[in-house]
Amino acid sequence: MKHINTFSDFVLNESSYQFQDQAKKAIIDAMRLSTAQALWIYLGFSKKPELLKQLEDYANKIDGSTLESIIASHIQKNPADIHLLDKNPELKNKILKIANVEDFSKLGRLKKIGLI
Amino acid sequence: MKHIVRYDNLFEFYSLNEDVQGAKSYIKNIYAKKYGISPKEMSDSDIQKAFNDKIFKDVIQITNKNPGYSLPFLKFAIEQRIPIFGGRPDEEIKSLSMLVDWINNRGQLVSRLPMKIQDYANSERIGEVKGFEKLADDIRTLERNISLKWIVDRLPAKPREEFRKLPDNEKQELLNIANSLEEMDKDDPEKKITTRLLSKIKAMADYPIQEIIDYMNNYISGYSSIDAEKKLQEVKELSPEAGVLYSKSPYLVMSMRTEKSQKNLCRVANWCINRGLFLNYAKNALQINIFDYSISPSDPMFLTGTTISYDGHVTTSHDINDWYIKKHESPREHFLSLGYPEEVVDRIIEKIPSEIAIKKLVEEALGLNTKSLRSSQNTNFITYLFGLADSNIQGKIEDSEWEKVIPIIVEILDSEDKGFGEMMLNFMEEYGVFTSSGVKVLQDIFLKRVTKKQISAIYNSSVETFDEIKRLYAYKMKRGDGNPIFIKNLENILKNEDKVLSELKRLI
């Protein structure tokens, strides 16, 4: 089995469905940095459900969190960021429910273009 | 397997080897430096890595017919970061492969360049530009002068001989006249202005060359005033892609907001921004071109072009022959040093803030500045428009200027198939208006375009947006961990709620 040491190794090598904990940890850590990064990673991995599951299991193993709860924690802090999920209404509703916040996407869109 | 190459003579073999050898040593030195060792300490595999360098291999490949250029081209690529491939044939030379094509097709002209190609490669900067850019400028000037040589051929024999003995700068005067004649006759297939002049020149076989040039200058100056009016008309027709900053005889000061306007209005100038490099210079900057109709079109100062960055500094400036004439960083000092009267300069300076705002709007409206998606063009357009209104509210743009800007914005909103007017209305109906700049845009620009029903819808959305902002503000305050700048923004918006809503109500 080919070992994967970096995130880009992983992304470039689609056939390597097992990847090291080190790489998983780096990815989870990256998700905790910002809403945009968390969503980019989550949506990217959604195209490869098997890999998403491996990440999900790892997140659960280290502190009992889920990938969606990581995103929801960003939204609790910056509710206007929910507009980043405008194109994914199902996930958006799910995250709003987990975060238990009002949908502030409209203000998020205004913030994005610098009007508020 | 070793490749067998046939060399016609031993000299060619050695000279080829020697030429490529320079490039090889150069790339080896670069890699040795990278490894922190001397070239002599490099192992075979280090050397192989250097020779496998992509830039090195590409340069060797494109210069295989002219290996003598491999070293200078490698320096252009590595030290001046000039791309190896790219560019269209109708554009300014901007890549090494374009330069190779030019050398292959016009090799006999290389010796007529002011410097050797090696010297351009050894000069990272010549004046304000890279050595390669100066080379491209010099090639353009050379080609332009060659294309204007017809005027020399049409001189009677004696003055033609005299012309050949003139110093280069004096020769340029006649070539500028040829350029002006081409411009004046551009729409006339019979080229009457030129034909008339040449028939007169034919009868001046015994005149000294300088008298003939003076005669030609007087002749074309007579057409200049007609040209001035025509030019002003052309600018107006191109609006909003070009704007007039000042027009009082003998000066016409224009702002070129797009490459198209630059090409159409100032083709008489020998500038690279007329040939595919507009955005290289005028992106995030104003391009201000000034015609002075009090002097002959053959005078280099007949037309000048100055680029002023959005932060208010002169970045570059050229006369009609593309000579670098930047005098000062400050636009005011620069224009005064070029000899323009104070009244003209003051007018230009006064207009710079609003002109910057307009150029940004035009760039976004026409999608010229970026390859952005339509949606981001729309959002940038909204931001710039509200920003412009805000500058007026804050006094950065005077009311008189704002009033002049409004018709230009309306023109952009109405411009063909862009749909910016509709997009803006949809935006206001969905999000409402919640700042004084929003009210200003609605009142000054859209009031005549909206129904009472639409204003009511905008009012209702505004109330909803204000309520949402209040809830977000309360949420943020409760958590106490929000970004202080964002919270301050929300506070400022909420402070104006009553004022904004009452102004909106008045419009219903």
Side-chain angles (χ1 to χ4, degrees), chain B residues 102-127:
Chain B
W102 184 80
I103 291 172
N104 288 342
N105 296 326
R106 311 281 283 163
Q108 74 280 11
L109 296 181
V110 173
S111 61
R112 290 174 62 184
L113 288 166
M115 283 161 64
K116 286 183 181 164
I117 290 191
Q118 286 83 337
D119 297 334
Y120 290 103
N122 289 333
S123 314
E124 272 197 53
R125 296 203 86 75
I126 300 175

Side-chain angles (χ1 to χ4, degrees), chain B residues 137-151:
Chain B
D137 286 349
D138 288 343
I139 289 174
R140 193 184 59 253
T141 304
L142 182 62
E143 291 284 11
R144 173 185 179 251
N145 288 346
I146 290 168
S147 76
L148 297 173
K149 205 182 136 277
W150 58 265
I151 201 163

Side-chain angles (χ1 to χ4, degrees), chain A residues 73 75-80 86 99-111 113-116, chain B residues 379 382-383 386 427 430-431 434-435 461 464-465 468-469 471-472 475-476 479 481-482 486 489-490 493:
Chain A
S73 66
I75 297 300
Q76 278 173 335
K77 195 175 175 200
N78 300 302
D86 281 349
N100 192 26
V101 290
E102 183 186 337
D103 181 357
F104 285 111
S105 344
K106 186 172 155 185
L107 299 187
R109 290 191 286 273
L110 290 173
K111 186 183 172 202
I113 61 172
L115 291 183
I116 64 170
Chain B
T379 52
I382 294 168
T383 313
F386 285 174
F427 176 85
E430 186 180 346
Y431 295 93
F434 44 89
T435 57
S461 294
E464 277 172 29
T465 302
E468 206 168 299
I469 292 173
R471 291 198 300 277
L472 180 62
Y475 178 91
K476 289 265 181 196
R479 275 182 64 95
D481 62 351
F486 182 54
N489 284 349
L490 298 180
I493 292 170

Side-chain angles (χ1 to χ4, degrees), chain B residues 310-323:
Chain B
Y310 283 166
D311 61 8
H313 296 105
V314 174
T315 53
T316 191
S317 184
H318 293 85
D319 69 14
I320 202 167
N321 294 329
D322 207 24
W323 285 92

Side-chain angles (χ1 to χ4, degrees), chain B residues 322-340:
Chain B
D322 207 24
W323 285 92
Y324 182 72
I325 52 165
K326 178 182 160 183
K327 302 285 181 195
H328 208 280
E329 287 268 307
S330 137
R332 190 183 153 76
E333 294 309 315
H334 167 74
F335 287 125
L336 287 173
S337 305
L338 288 182
Y340 294 114

Side-chain angles (χ1 to χ4, degrees), chain B residues 128-326:
Chain B
E128 292 255 321
V129 295
K130 291 177 181 172
F132 183 85
E133 284 165 5
K134 179 76 173 73
L135 170 61
D137 286 349
D138 288 343
I139 289 174
R140 193 184 59 253
T141 304
L142 182 62
E143 291 284 11
R144 173 185 179 251
N145 288 346
I146 290 168
S147 76
L148 297 173
K149 205 182 136 277
W150 58 265
I151 201 163
V152 181
D153 298 337
R154 304 292 291 273
L155 289 173
K158 199 177 136 201
R160 190 166 63 232
E161 273 315 301
E162 268 186 60
F163 173 82
R164 294 201 168 114
K165 289 174 197 155
L166 288 177
D168 279 354
N169 59 335
E170 287 177 31
K171 278 184 182 160
Q172 194 61 49
E173 202 177 349
L174 184 67
L175 298 175
N176 287 349
I177 289 171
N179 197 31
S180 301
L181 286 168
E182 282 188 358
E183 169 72 9
M184 287 168 177
D185 270 334
K186 67 178 188 288
D187 299 324
D188 176 11
E190 291 175 34
K191 310 222 168 293
K192 286 193 231 45
I193 299 174
T194 308
T195 314
R196 207 173 300 138
L197 175 65
L198 291 176
S199 69
K200 291 185 183 189
I201 298 301
K202 214 189 259 179
M204 298 172 82
D206 292 326
Y207 280 59
I209 182 67
Q210 197 51 55
E211 266 185 48
I212 293 181
I213 291 176
D214 290 345
Y215 179 84
M216 286 176 158
N217 264 331
N218 284 337
Y219 178 87
I220 54 174
S221 295
Y223 285 97
S224 279
S225 56
I226 303 168
D227 197 39
E229 281 166 34
K230 225 166 113 189
K231 193 64 69 187
L232 190 59
Q233 196 49 40
E234 279 182 70
V235 187
K236 285 180 181 164
E237 279 166 18
L238 271 165
S239 175
E241 294 193 46
V244 177
L245 302 189
Y246 182 92
S247 77
K248 195 171 158 193
S249 183
Y251 297 100
L252 174 58
V253 184
M254 305 173 299
S255 167
M256 304 291 109
R257 299 175 190 143
T258 66
E259 182 159 17
K260 181 179 154 197
S261 65
Q262 173 68 39
K263 283 178 176 169
N264 283 6
L265 296 167
C266 298
R267 62 176 85 78
V268 70
N270 175 34
W271 295 333
C272 48
I273 51 170
N274 292 355
R275 297 189 30 190
L277 291 182
F278 184 77
L279 284 183
N280 289 30
Y281 286 85
K283 189 176 177 179
N284 298 325
L286 297 182
Q287 178 62 33
I288 294 178
N289 298 345
I290 308 177
F291 280 99
D292 176 357
Y293 288 101
S294 69
I295 53 179
S296 162
S298 68
D299 189 306
M301 294 297 285
F302 175 66
L303 172 61
T304 64
T306 296
T307 312
I308 300 173
S309 61
Y310 283 166
D311 61 8
H313 296 105
V314 174
T315 53
T316 191
S317 184
H318 293 85
D319 69 14
I320 202 167
N321 294 329
D322 207 24
W323 285 92
Y324 182 72
I325 52 165
K326 178 182 160 183

